[in-house]
Amino acid sequence: MGIRRYRPAPKKKSRAGTMLTGEDFRFAGKTFGRREVFTTLLIVLVCAIAAIWWLYGRDFYTEIKSDTVLIAGNEYPVTEFRGIEAYNDPEKLRACFRIKGEIFAPPAANPQPRAAPGWFKCFYPERIIEELAEGKAKLYLAGYNDPPGYDRVVVVYDNPRDNNLRGFMWRQKNENYQE
């Protein structure tokens, strides 16, 4: 009788461990190499990033068109209107247009335009604030509590030589806003 030596059973490697040692990955009865697994993970990552980008910057916005803008209860005819809005957030309203005539509306204070998505090229909040500070434009209250907690404001550039003035519109929080 010989001496029996006890040999422990080989340790089972985890799936990740088999990938690191260069062995193939087995799943559902099929064998996959490292390159196939890496390529699949890379494709899933790229698709996830594209989906997040689309949802954040494009999906919730809808383009709006109009021939008039309502400012303090008065309708004003406009041309070259470009606007976007979102059903999930009132502050996502942005619009650019040209307006004729004099505006009769109460002045507004404390402009707070927010940045528009990168693909909406006509709305630049930094430039609007600078030109309001320089006196090149006037800020009007177009709608108070429209919807509740938000004011709709309009900026119209003051150019006495041009009868077709540039205008911008957005919504911002007011004193009635509650979180």
Side-chain angles (χ1 to χ4, degrees):
M1 271 184 99
I3 299 177
R4 282 187 150 188
R5 292 192 172 195
Y6 171 74
R7 272 200 237 172
K11 291 183 181 178
K12 288 188 174 182
K13 296 180 181 176
S14 67
R15 289 186 175 144
T18 59
M19 292 297 294
L20 295 175
T21 59
E23 298 174 26
D24 289 336
F25 181 68
R26 296 185 62 78
F27 180 74
K30 296 185 179 181
T31 304
F32 301 96
R34 286 184 290 173
R35 184 172 291 163
E36 293 166 324
V37 172
F38 177 75
T39 304
T40 303
L41 290 175
L42 188 63
I43 289 170
V44 168
L45 178 66
V46 168
C47 290
I49 290 171
I52 290 169
W53 172 81
W54 177 261
L55 288 171
Y56 177 74
R58 300 244 180 196
D59 186 46
F60 294 114
Y61 287 98
T62 57
E63 290 199 41
I64 53 177
K65 303 213 181 279
S66 181
D67 295 335
T68 61
V69 171
L70 186 66
I71 302 174
N74 300 319
E75 282 193 1
Y76 294 90
V78 295
T79 58
E80 299 177 27
F81 186 92
R82 276 194 72 210
I84 56 173
E85 193 169 24
Y87 63 87
N88 64 343
D89 184 4
E91 281 188 291
K92 289 189 176 181
L93 170 70
R94 312 281 189 287
C96 310
F97 51 87
R98 295 212 172 257
I99 190 166
K100 291 185 180 185
E102 193 175 343
I103 307 297
F104 299 102
N110 193 18
Q112 306 163 9
R114 293 175 54 196
W119 53 270
F120 191 68
K121 295 290 184 190
C122 70
F123 194 88
Y124 301 102
E126 297 87 14
R127 187 183 308 166
I128 292 170
I129 290 174
E130 283 177 18
E131 292 174 348
L132 278 168
E134 294 171 3
K136 295 180 181 177
K138 292 181 182 173
L139 182 66
Y140 297 102
L141 181 62
Y144 178 73
N145 248 7
D146 175 30
Y150 295 91
D151 291 338
R152 192 168 37 86
V153 296
V154 172
V155 168
V156 176
Y157 282 79
D158 191 20
N159 187 352
R161 289 180 274 156
D162 188 5
N163 197 23
N164 200 7
L165 305 173
R166 285 188 307 152
F168 300 95
M169 180 171 55
W170 69 89
R171 282 194 191 103
Q172 61 189 24
K173 295 176 185 171
N174 65 18
E175 68 276 357
N176 296 331
Y177 177 76
Q178 297 175 0
E179 289 190 35

